[in-house]
Amino acid sequence: KAGVTQTPRYLIKTRGQQVTLSCSPISGHRSVSWYQQTPGQGLQFLFEYFSETQRNKGNFPGRFSGRQFSNSRSEMNVSTLELGDSALYLCASSLGLAGVNYEQYFGPGTRLTVT
Amino acid sequence: DAKTTQPNSMESNEEEPVHLPCNHSTISGTDYIHWYRQLPSQGPEYVIHGLTSNVNNRMASLAIAEDRKSSTLILHRATLRDAAVYYCILRANYGGATNKLIFGTGTLLAVQP
């Protein structure tokens, strides 16, 4: 079974631009969560989607948005990029929303550099 | 969400057991204890989880204190591949409302050959 895939793996953007990152969950998984990882803040939860609906959102500005498609694939978008948005963006998929009993499978991440 | 406290770093020798501690003194009765690890240049991966009883799987064992205020992840024979950051996470049982994970700073485990 293929794991979680994220595209692109590396990205360089300029301040003020926008970016879209893609995540394909494991086949059959309906839940997708996004995390941002930086050296200073560590791993922080961005948002999660289940059945095309956003179920939970972390404490990030409105420039960060996401969506999920009917095939469970998900995209996240960051508009008006800032230098501080440089980070590793991780996507995780899970079978369902049973919370404590559903382990999450993480992708390799997209490394975004904003110059 | 209840917080966890872990040592910043630990060292081990290859093929020796490793005990990674985690304190969670404010844990509630319905919080599950989960462990994930992140190998260099990879996303986190699930290791093990438990509620009250000790748990074993092919990767590790989880020993939970009787009062549940602390737990220990046990790697029975450390290998070089086990060098990673290990995260102890409490997951509240919201009845399936969310998969959100709150990561702390974790423990950086170094394994010496």
Side-chain angles (χ1 to χ4, degrees):
Chain A
K1 190 187 259 190
V4 177
T5 57
Q6 293 187 244
T7 56
R9 292 292 311 279
Y10 302 91
L11 203 51
I12 300 175
K13 289 286 190 178
T14 305
R15 265 182 305 176
Q17 288 185 313
Q18 75 164 15
V19 67
T20 298
L21 311 181
S22 180
C23 171
S24 292
I26 291 173
S27 177
H29 284 194
R30 297 170 62 195
S31 167
V32 172
S33 299
W34 288 89
Y35 293 82
Q36 181 196 65
Q37 186 171 29
T38 60
Q41 299 298 318
L43 272 155
Q44 293 187 288
F45 171 80
L46 277 158
F47 29 64
E48 70 176 313
Y49 288 86
F50 181 78
S51 294
E52 301 177 65
T53 302
Q54 188 179 88
R55 296 297 299 258
N56 206 344
K57 191 176 190 305
N59 189 25
F60 279 81
R63 301 185 296 106
F64 292 81
S65 63
R67 59 178 176 169
Q68 186 181 33
F69 302 95
S70 58
N71 62 358
S72 294
R73 191 177 69 86
S74 178
E75 289 181 347
M76 68 162 282
N77 183 277
V78 187
S79 62
T80 320
L81 284 166
E82 300 177 359
L83 293 179
D85 297 332
S86 294
L88 181 67
Y89 290 89
L90 292 156
C91 165
S93 81
S94 183
L95 191 59
L97 262 186
V100 296
N101 286 317
Y102 279 152
E103 61 194 76
Q104 293 197 55
Y105 296 83
F106 284 80
T110 294
R111 172 73 64 185
L112 172 65
T113 301
V114 182
T115 61
Chain B
D1 294 295
K3 288 188 67 174
T4 62
T5 304
Q6 300 177 252
N8 288 333
S9 62
M10 290 185 65
E11 260 194 28
S12 173
N13 294 318
E14 202 175 7
E15 298 191 3
E16 289 186 357
V18 182
H19 290 233
L20 296 162
C22 180
N23 286 316
H24 28 79
S25 57
T26 60
I27 191 171
S28 75
T30 55
D31 285 343
Y32 279 71
I33 303 158
H34 285 242
W35 284 81
Y36 280 75
R37 72 179 185 181
Q38 187 171 21
L39 303 171
S41 302
Q42 294 188 28
E45 66 174 343
Y46 167 84
V47 178
I48 200 167
H49 79 275
L51 181 63
T52 55
S53 305
N54 294 345
V55 185
N56 301 294
N57 66 18
R58 64 174 179 81
M59 286 181 71
S61 295
L62 177 59
I64 301 172
E66 199 169 328
D67 63 4
R68 302 209 327 124
K69 293 185 184 301
S70 66
S71 60
T72 302
L73 178 70
I74 302 166
L75 307 179
H76 295 287
R77 289 185 65 194
T79 69
L80 296 178
R81 194 195 172 278
D82 291 321
V85 177
Y86 287 78
Y87 297 98
C88 170
I89 301 167
L90 299 183
R91 294 192 64 181
N93 184 4
Y94 294 129
T98 178
N99 282 324
K100 174 182 176 182
L101 293 175
I102 300 176
F103 288 86
T105 53
T107 296
L108 175 62
L109 174 66
V111 180
Q112 305 299 329

